[in-house]
Amino acid sequence: MIKISPEVQALIVNNQRKFWQGVIPPQWGIEGQVRDHFTGKKNTVKRRFGELKKSVFFDKKTKILDLGCGYGFLIVFMRKLGFNIVGCDTDDFSIEIAKKILSENRISPGLVVINCKKLPYRDNSFDLVYLNHVLVYVDNLPEFFKEIRRILKKD
């Protein structure tokens, strides 16, 4: 289970409210969604991990990049299982929150979450790049995929 303090949970809830700017009706209960989707009953992160495992082979030696990691929940979940995963996101506030969540879960935040407006990785650095709800925010898809291809190992 991912640890998340009430203070960090409140920051996420406030950020989600600001992001969705009233689109989500109050009866949906953002507080419950944050709790359930990331740490509780629905545990979206656990489901995403399961879907990833079904889709592509990887093991604990596989170097994985969560491109668009948001609050870093998948990184925490997979790191706790012993996987080699790092993440980046272009949203500075999400990175701040991710660092707090990683720290609360005793995972070094300085090593796993960076801003990725321009991918700062060497050629052939990763075995796998994971994207979830990212492409809709990309202005130049050909350049984006060219950059992903650059950082992926040839095999």
Side-chain angles (χ1 to χ4, degrees):
M1 173 96 88
I2 296 172
K3 294 177 187 173
I4 178 171
S5 68
E7 295 80 19
V8 171
Q9 188 170 334
L11 289 171
I12 293 170
V13 167
N14 290 334
N15 189 52
Q16 292 296 94
R17 279 198 181 110
K18 186 174 85 175
F19 179 79
W20 291 105
Q21 299 175 4
V23 174
I24 296 178
Q27 62 268 28
W28 280 18
I30 292 175
E31 293 87 351
Q33 286 185 31
V34 168
R35 182 187 59 250
D36 291 345
H37 284 289
F38 300 116
T39 62
K41 297 174 186 173
K42 295 180 184 178
N43 204 328
T44 303
V45 175
K46 187 175 182 179
R47 190 182 78 239
R48 285 184 186 150
F49 173 75
E51 291 168 354
L52 185 58
K53 283 296 275 183
K54 287 180 190 174
S55 302
V56 63
F57 171 80
F58 61 94
D59 58 24
K60 292 182 180 179
K61 293 179 184 176
T62 304
K63 190 169 181 189
I64 303 168
L65 172 64
D66 182 0
L67 183 54
C69 67
Y71 301 127
F73 287 108
L74 183 65
I75 297 167
V76 173
F77 184 84
M78 290 183 69
R79 279 285 185 104
K80 283 186 168 201
L81 294 175
F83 288 95
N84 183 10
I85 182 170
V86 297
C88 62
D89 200 290
T90 58
D91 182 60
D92 292 328
F93 185 78
S94 292
I95 290 172
E96 276 182 49
I97 295 296
K99 287 180 180 182
K100 289 176 192 254
I101 293 169
L102 291 161
S103 181
E104 288 179 354
N105 286 274
R106 299 179 185 212
I107 297 170
S108 175
L111 298 176
V112 292
V113 181
I114 61 167
N115 193 297
C116 63
K117 290 179 180 170
K118 182 174 192 290
L119 297 177
Y121 306 109
R122 287 187 239 157
D123 295 359
N124 308 308
S125 303
F126 292 94
D127 301 299
L128 176 65
V129 174
Y130 175 77
L131 304 161
N132 186 48
H133 300 286
V134 171
L135 298 180
V136 69
Y137 300 105
V138 176
D139 294 329
N140 188 334
L141 286 173
E143 285 298 315
F144 181 73
F145 285 117
K146 183 178 176 183
E147 185 67 357
I148 290 173
R149 190 170 43 247
R150 180 188 67 77
I151 65 168
L152 277 171
K153 293 179 183 174
K154 299 302 178 209
D155 295 329

